[in-house]
Amino acid sequence: MTDWILLRGLGRESAHWGDFISQMQQQFPDSQIHCLDLPGTGQHYQQKSPISLPKITRIVRAQAMEQGILNKPVRLLGLSLGGMVVWDWLKQFPEDASHAVMINSSFADLSPFWDRLNWRSYLNILRIGAIRDVQQREAAILKLVCNRNHQTEVVDAWLQIQQQRPVSAKTIGRQLLAAGLYRAGKAKPKQPVLIVSSPMDRLVSVECSRAVQQKWQLPMLAHPWAGHDLSVDDSPWLAEQLANWLRHDSQQQD
C-alpha cells in the first residue's frame, strides 16, 4: 500500500493535524502516514525558513529521504502553504509521488493577493498579531481558520505546541514572502491531483482553489461548511473523501 506525506501550512506544524492522523489511518490501514515539518516549524522551529518555496521543498524532501520514506512513490497532501510545496514537489521531483492533494491552496500567478489572503480578514489578522497572551492568540487563530465550535482541548493543544516549539514572527514573514514569490507555472503535473476547497473559508477565498481547478481541469471537492483548516473542522469527511477519490481513480485505471 502507498504511504502518505502530509504537509501543514503557514506557521503550523505536524502536531496541528490532530485527529486527522487517526482518521487517515482508519481509511488507509495498510499505509504509513508521515507528517513532515516545514523549516522554521515543528521539530525544525529553530531552523531558518528560506524565502524561496523551491528551497523549502528541497529541504522537506531531504527529510523524507533521510527517513527512507521515498524508497517507493508516495501520496502527497498539503494544506494551504503545504499545498504549494506539494505542487512544487511534483514539478521538481515527479518520480517521488503517485498522487497529490491540495487543500485550500493558492498561487500568485492565478489569484490576486486580496483573494489569497481574504481582504475581509485583514482586520482580524491585525488584531491577532497584536495579542500578547499566547493562549488568547491561539484561540483567535482557531476561530479564524475553523467554522466549527471546537472544544477547549484544541486550544489547549495548540497552546502547548506553541510553548514547546514556538514559531517566530520572522518565520511566518519569510514563509509569506516565499508564497508570494512562487509561481505555479504552465505545466500540468503528470500525476493525478485532487483539489479540496472550503467555500466558507474566511482566510483564503475559495476562488483560489477554483482558479487552480479551472487552469488545469483538475477534480475538485468542496466541503459544505468547514473553514480554512478543513482537517481540524471535519477530519472524518476529509479522510473519507480521499479514500473515495483514490478508489474511483483506481477503477478508472482498470
Side-chain angles (χ1 to χ4, degrees):
M1 181 64 74
T2 307
D3 294 340
W4 286 86
I5 291 179
L6 274 53
L7 301 174
R8 264 279 172 173
L10 180 72
R12 304 282 93 175
E13 61 149 85
S14 296
H16 286 98
W17 288 115
D19 184 56
F20 180 58
I21 304 304
S22 63
Q23 295 294 334
M24 285 288 286
Q25 206 66 76
Q26 288 181 35
Q27 293 292 340
F28 304 97
D30 298 323
S31 299
Q32 284 190 301
I33 314 298
H34 304 279
C35 302
L36 300 181
D37 291 318
L38 305 187
T41 70
Q43 297 180 13
H44 311 288
Y45 75 95
Q46 294 178 314
Q47 186 177 2
K48 187 176 182 180
S49 179
I51 59 172
S52 162
L53 194 123
K55 287 184 179 179
I56 292 175
T57 302
R58 291 193 290 272
I59 290 172
V60 175
R61 182 179 185 264
Q63 295 179 35
M65 292 287 288
E66 290 171 5
Q67 297 179 34
I69 300 172
L70 297 179
N71 293 330
K72 58 181 181 179
V74 297
R75 297 170 182 141
L76 299 172
L77 180 149
L79 171 66
S80 195
L81 177 62
M84 296 175 61
V85 175
V86 163
W87 184 269
D88 187 65
W89 196 325
L90 296 178
K91 290 175 61 178
Q92 290 198 61
F93 309 100
E95 70 281 358
D96 287 350
S98 64
H99 295 77
V101 180
M102 298 171 59
I103 305 168
N104 292 329
S105 204
S106 66
F107 294 117
D109 48 341
L110 298 183
S111 300
F113 71 88
W114 57 83
D115 278 345
R116 301 189 71 204
L117 195 60
N118 197 322
W119 64 271
R120 294 181 178 85
S121 296
Y122 288 177
L123 186 57
N124 266 340
I125 293 170
L126 290 174
R127 286 171 176 167
I128 289 171
I131 298 175
R132 297 291 186 90
D133 182 86
V134 180
Q135 185 172 17
Q136 292 179 7
R137 186 166 65 244
E138 290 299 316
I141 292 172
L142 181 65
K143 187 175 181 180
L144 175 63
V145 301
C146 290
N147 291 341
R148 183 160 62 92
N149 186 17
H150 293 278
Q151 296 180 347
T152 55
E153 284 80 359
V154 176
V155 176
D156 292 342
W158 285 17
L159 171 62
Q160 188 174 20
I161 293 168
Q162 183 64 11
Q163 288 175 333
Q164 293 177 350
R165 297 173 296 277
V167 175
S168 68
K170 187 174 182 179
T171 290
I172 293 175
R174 294 178 71 86
Q175 287 185 337
L176 282 170
L177 184 56
L181 293 172
Y182 185 71
R183 302 294 186 270
K186 297 181 179 180
K188 178 181 178 179
K190 65 178 183 179
Q191 304 90 334
V193 179
L194 175 67
I195 307 300
V196 185
S197 66
S198 298
M200 302 300 289
D201 186 344
R202 288 172 289 127
L203 184 64
V204 177
S205 171
V206 69
E207 294 303 323
C208 296
S209 290
R210 289 173 179 158
V212 178
Q213 186 274 326
Q214 292 171 8
K215 172 72 174 179
W216 290 284
Q217 295 301 299
L218 301 171
M220 185 169 83
L221 299 175
H223 191 283
W225 54 262
H228 185 68
D229 199 337
L230 175 53
S231 62
V232 172
D233 255 352
D234 198 350
S235 59
W237 180 91
L238 179 56
E240 183 179 3
Q241 293 302 318
L242 297 180
N244 292 340
W245 171 61
L246 288 171
R247 193 177 300 114
H248 179 70
D249 181 71
S250 178
Q251 290 172 352
Q252 286 187 323
Q253 297 300 324
D254 294 341

